[in-house]
Amino acid sequence: MKIIDGKACALQIKGEIAQEVESIKMRGLRPPQLAIILVGNREDSLSYVRSKANTCRSLGMECQTHLLPDDTPEADLYALVDSLNHDAYVDAILIQLPLPDHYDSARILDSIDYRKDADGLHLMNVGLLHLGEPYVMPCTPKGILTLLSTNGIEVAGRHAVVIGRSQLVGEPTAQLLIRKNATVTLCHSHTRNLPELTRLADIVITAAGHPGLLKPEDLKEGAVLIDVAINRTEEGLVGDVYSPATCEALDKRLSAATPVPGGVGPMTIAMLMNNVLDMYKMGSRE
Ligand code: NAD
């Protein structure tokens, strides 16, 4: 089984971004800039924001972070988004999710100018993706598609089973695969007899967040597994299928798989950086 190395792929993509940013600066132009908004003080969200901001700066891009208390009035949040929408030096805006429960997350995400929507979650961007003309793609699905293509895994004409239908991962991944001419089955928590479906699939993409969701024998021999899930267990970080307990059996059965950790995870942040650079370039053409 080929290990699909997301860490190495992400490193290469970030290297290319850093080079491009360097050449932008050499031409005397300003670097791309990302603005991140975090409301509340969830430890995991704080650490994601820190890591995104550090990566952005390490590639030569600028990043401003706005850390707001979780009782920030919704009107203040809209005012901040509005000022960033109109700031010509800000190319991309990211609102760290989840927002505290008392906010209307969908409405706040839709208040971002869709041309600055770093995560591709604005209604306009969701619509464009469904039409096959994405302005910006959500980071994890874009990372998955990039891993498949850079590892020479053919998608057209093949049967892909995607497990999970979230707006962040499963749903847009299924849409992108359809656009790449795969035959897609989208499964979710109401799906019956999941293994019957996965045994027919050439490519299985799991994003359910359930360790042990499938056993190695639930996958077709020679299939490709993209395990998106990140589950914290006593064994450490494991996927929905990939874990220290299953990797040997998977190795014998599959043609390729993403490990957890080190598979899709590192690609998500690399694709975010890629979106920031793309938005900078698209913005400066207008
Ligand atoms: P979510 O909770 O929003 O969605 C989970 C989806 O899985 C739902 O559509 C649900 O119907 C489906 N599901 C749950 N249990 C199921 C079951 N037993 N059978 C079939 N379907 C089932 O989660 P999400 O935000 O989409 O994230 C999913 C997983 O991916 C999580 O483990 C998360 O940590 C991980 N994730 C990883 C990355 C990355 O960069 N690698 C990025 C985002 C999310």
Side-chain angles (χ1 to χ4, degrees):
M1 176 184 84
K2 176 180 184 180
I3 289 283
I4 301 174
D5 188 346
K7 223 168 156 178
C9 186
L11 209 64
Q12 185 180 340
I13 289 167
K14 286 189 285 183
E16 287 164 8
I17 294 172
Q19 268 182 13
E20 199 168 339
V21 172
E22 181 60 26
S23 91
I24 287 170
K25 290 183 181 172
M26 297 272 279
R27 281 182 270 138
L29 300 170
R30 70 167 181 88
Q33 178 166 207
L34 169 68
I36 305 179
I37 301 173
L38 170 64
V39 187
N41 53 3
R42 277 176 63 129
E43 266 312 309
D44 55 346
S45 293
L46 269 167
S47 121
Y48 291 136
V49 168
R50 244 180 260 125
S51 153
K52 288 168 188 173
N54 288 340
T55 307
C56 203
R57 292 179 190 126
S58 75
L59 304 183
M61 303 194 284
E62 289 182 358
C63 183
Q64 47 173 284
T65 51
H66 300 265
L67 307 179
L68 309 177
D70 79 1
D71 58 356
T72 301
E74 211 162 299
D76 291 6
L77 196 49
Y78 283 117
L80 173 59
V81 171
D82 191 52
S83 75
L84 296 170
N85 281 341
H86 289 97
D87 186 334
Y89 292 93
V90 170
D91 304 289
I93 303 167
L94 182 152
I95 298 179
Q96 183 63 42
L97 297 175
L99 280 167
D101 287 344
H102 53 277
Y103 292 97
D104 183 343
S105 296
R107 228 181 114 209
I108 291 169
L109 288 174
D110 287 343
S111 71
I112 298 175
D113 182 333
Y114 80 95
R115 292 161 303 181
K116 294 191 177 191
D117 170 29
D119 266 341
L121 298 175
H122 188 287
L123 194 57
M124 180 79 170
N125 287 321
V126 174
L128 287 170
L129 184 85
H130 278 246
L131 290 174
E133 295 161 13
Y135 184 81
V136 59
M137 284 188 226
C139 304
T140 303
K142 188 176 177 180
I144 294 168
L145 271 283
T146 305
L147 278 180
L148 290 170
S149 66
T150 56
N151 283 276
I153 295 164
E154 185 66 56
V155 166
R158 301 184 85 194
H159 181 201
V161 167
V162 179
I163 307 169
R165 59 173 166 182
S166 71
Q167 286 304 313
L168 206 59
V169 187
E171 235 271 337
T173 301
Q175 276 305 323
L176 289 171
L177 288 167
I178 290 169
R179 292 286 155 193
K180 294 274 175 200
N181 297 322
T183 301
V184 178
T185 303
L186 181 55
C187 302
H188 45 75
S189 52
H190 295 266
T191 300
R192 294 184 192 163
N193 302 326
L194 187 62
E196 269 180 30
L197 298 168
T198 54
R199 277 185 215 121
L200 298 173
D202 303 308
I203 302 169
V204 174
I205 301 182
T206 59
H210 271 248
L213 179 73
L214 296 169
K215 298 189 200 71
E217 56 270 31
D218 297 331
L219 304 172
K220 187 165 92 173
E221 293 213 17
V224 173
L225 169 70
I226 305 291
D227 197 333
V228 186
I230 302 173
N231 302 302
R232 281 170 216 285
T233 69
E234 281 173 7
E235 279 183 292
L237 289 186
V238 303
D240 284 340
V241 186
Y242 194 99
S243 74
T246 58
C247 63
E248 215 178 298
L250 291 172
D251 184 40
K252 290 194 184 118
R253 195 167 184 87
L254 302 180
S255 61
T258 53
V260 181
V264 178
M267 290 299 285
T268 296
I269 199 156
M271 292 299 119
L272 171 65
M273 300 300 128
N274 189 255
N275 280 352
V276 176
L277 177 58
D278 278 354
M279 289 177 151
Y280 169 87
K281 292 195 284 192
M282 291 190 286
S284 49
R285 269 207 310 271
E286 285 167 1

